Amino acid sequence: MKHGNKDLLVHSNGTIEHMVIMNTVVGCEVNLYNYPFASDFCPIAINVWAISGCGMFLNFGAVSTTSANRGDWLTEAVELDAEGGRDDRNYLWVSLKMRSENPFMSLVLPSILIIVADVVSFSLPLGGGERISFKVTLVLSFIMFLIILNDLLPGGGQCSPIIRKHFCFCLVILVLSTLQSMVLTRLAKCGTLRPCSLSKSKDLLLKDTDNEEESKSDIKASEEENTAFQKVVKFLNKMAAQDQTKAIHLCFANKVDLICFCIYLTVLIVYAVVILYFSFGSRCEINQLDFWS
C-alpha cells in the first residue's frame, strides 16, 4: 500500500478525500476439471465497512487490466459486480483462461504417442517374443513418465482434474494389452494355457509313448528286415505332424489376436470420444461466491 498523494482534501461537512494505491496478491482456487484446457472465473471481494453512517464508502470508477499475462494463465476480462445487488458485497469478476500449449506438449501428447505405439505393436509377431518385450518397455516408460511429471499434475480440489483419470486409463490399457500378448504367445507356442509343469509332463508322456511305439516298430522292423529308408520316412512324417500342429496353434492364436486388436481399437475410439466430450463439452460447476455464505 502507498499513498497516491501526500495531500488530503477536507470538506466543510467533515468529509475527507484521500487516494491510496494498493497492490494485492490474491490466491484463487481455480477449477481445473478441464486441465489443460481449463478456464474459470475468480471473484475478488472489495468491501469497506461503515457503522451508523461513519466510516469509509467505496465509489467505483472504470475497471481495467494493466497486465493480462501471468505465466500459463491469461486474463481475458475483468468486470465489477455486486452479489445479489447489495452495495456491501462488491467484487471483481476476473475471467481466466489457461494457455494449453505447454501442458499439452509435456503431459497429454506423450501419453497419446505411447498408446499409438502400443496399437502399432500388434503388427509384431507373437512367436518371437519381440512384442512382449516392446510392450513391457512401453509400460515401464509410462510409469517412469508419471513419476517424473507427478509434481506437474494439478491437485484435486472440489473438481478432480480429468487428466488424472486419463493417465489411469492409459496405464490400465497398457497393462491389459501386455497381459493379452503374454497369454496369446503362450497359446501360439503350446496351444494350451495350462501351467508349464503340466504341459511338460504331458509332452514327456507322449514322448515316452512314441519311444515305446518306436522300439516296438524297430523290433518288428528288425524281425521283418525293414530298411533304413522306412525309418527316415517315419521321422519326416513325425516332424511334419509337429509342424502342422504348431501351425494350427499359431493360426488360432493369430485369429484371437485379431479379435483382441479390434476390441482394443474400438475401446480406444470410444474412450477418445468420451474424453473429448468431458474435456471440451462438460464442466464441473462450483460456487465461486461461497465465501459470503
Side-chain angles (χ1 to χ4, degrees):
M1 180 185 295
K2 64 180 180 179
H3 300 284
N5 197 327
K6 295 182 179 180
D7 299 327
L8 298 177
L9 179 60
V10 182
H11 296 271
S12 59
N13 60 358
T15 304
I16 300 176
E17 292 186 8
H18 179 54
M19 184 174 67
V20 177
I21 300 176
M22 298 177 60
N23 294 322
T24 307
V25 178
V26 181
C28 184
E29 184 178 354
V30 184
N31 184 1
L32 296 176
Y33 177 76
N34 303 98
Y35 182 88
F37 309 101
S39 61
D40 200 12
F41 300 95
C42 180
I44 303 174
I46 303 177
N47 294 290
V48 295
W49 288 266
I51 301 176
S52 300
C54 180
M56 291 186 295
F57 299 90
L58 292 177
N59 184 14
F60 295 97
V63 178
S64 60
T65 58
T66 57
S67 178
N69 298 324
R70 186 68 64 179
D72 290 334
W73 291 92
L74 174 65
T75 303
E76 293 184 317
V78 178
E79 299 177 0
L80 179 64
D81 203 350
E83 199 265 338
R86 297 175 54 173
D87 295 335
D88 60 341
R89 291 190 175 183
N90 300 289
Y91 61 89
L92 294 176
W93 194 251
V94 184
S95 177
L96 301 173
K97 184 178 181 180
M98 188 173 190
R99 301 179 184 271
S100 59
E101 293 83 6
N102 185 29
F104 178 82
M105 295 294 293
S106 59
L107 294 177
V108 180
L109 184 59
S111 63
I112 295 176
L113 294 179
I114 290 177
I115 293 297
V116 171
D118 187 61
V119 173
V120 177
S121 66
F122 277 88
S123 60
L124 296 176
L126 287 173
E130 295 87 356
R131 182 192 291 191
I132 296 179
S133 60
F134 182 76
K135 286 181 177 290
V136 171
T137 304
L138 290 180
V139 173
L140 296 178
S141 301
F142 190 76
I143 292 175
M144 292 300 300
F145 167 74
L146 293 181
I147 293 175
I148 294 173
L149 298 180
N150 184 49
D151 295 336
L152 297 180
L153 295 178
Q158 298 185 18
C159 296
S160 179
I162 197 172
I163 192 173
R164 289 184 175 272
K165 301 179 178 62
H166 166 71
F167 286 146
C168 290
F169 174 82
C170 292
L171 183 58
V172 169
I173 204 70
L174 286 174
V175 173
L176 290 179
S177 176
T178 304
L179 294 177
Q180 174 259 338
S181 296
M182 291 180 179
V183 172
L184 290 184
T185 301
R186 170 69 179 174
L187 191 64
K189 183 177 181 180
C190 302
T192 179
L193 299 180
R194 287 191 296 270
C196 296
S197 58
L198 296 178
S199 179
K200 288 182 179 180
S201 62
K202 183 178 179 181
D203 293 340
L204 291 175
L205 181 61
L206 293 177
K207 186 176 181 180
D208 293 339
T209 304
D210 293 338
N211 290 334
E212 292 179 358
E213 292 179 355
E214 186 176 357
S215 60
K216 292 179 180 179
S217 62
D218 290 339
I219 295 174
K220 186 176 180 180
S222 61
E223 293 176 354
E224 296 178 358
E225 297 180 354
N226 200 355
T227 62
F229 178 75
Q230 291 179 342
K231 294 183 180 180
V232 173
V233 171
K234 184 182 294 185
F235 175 77
L236 293 177
N237 291 334
K238 185 178 179 180
M239 294 297 296
Q242 291 180 354
D243 293 339
Q244 184 178 5
T245 302
K246 291 180 180 180
I248 293 174
H249 294 165
L250 182 61
C251 181
F252 177 74
N254 288 331
K255 290 181 180 180
V256 177
D257 185 54
L258 180 60
I259 295 175
C260 293
F261 172 75
C262 295
I263 296 175
Y264 184 74
L265 194 60
T266 303
V267 170
L268 289 181
I269 293 175
V270 173
Y271 171 75
V273 174
V274 172
I275 198 67
L276 288 176
Y277 169 76
F278 281 102
S279 298
F280 298 100
S282 177
R283 288 187 60 85
C284 179
E285 301 294 337
I286 60 175
N287 183 17
Q288 299 283 10
L289 303 176
D290 55 352
F291 50 81
W292 270 321
S293 58

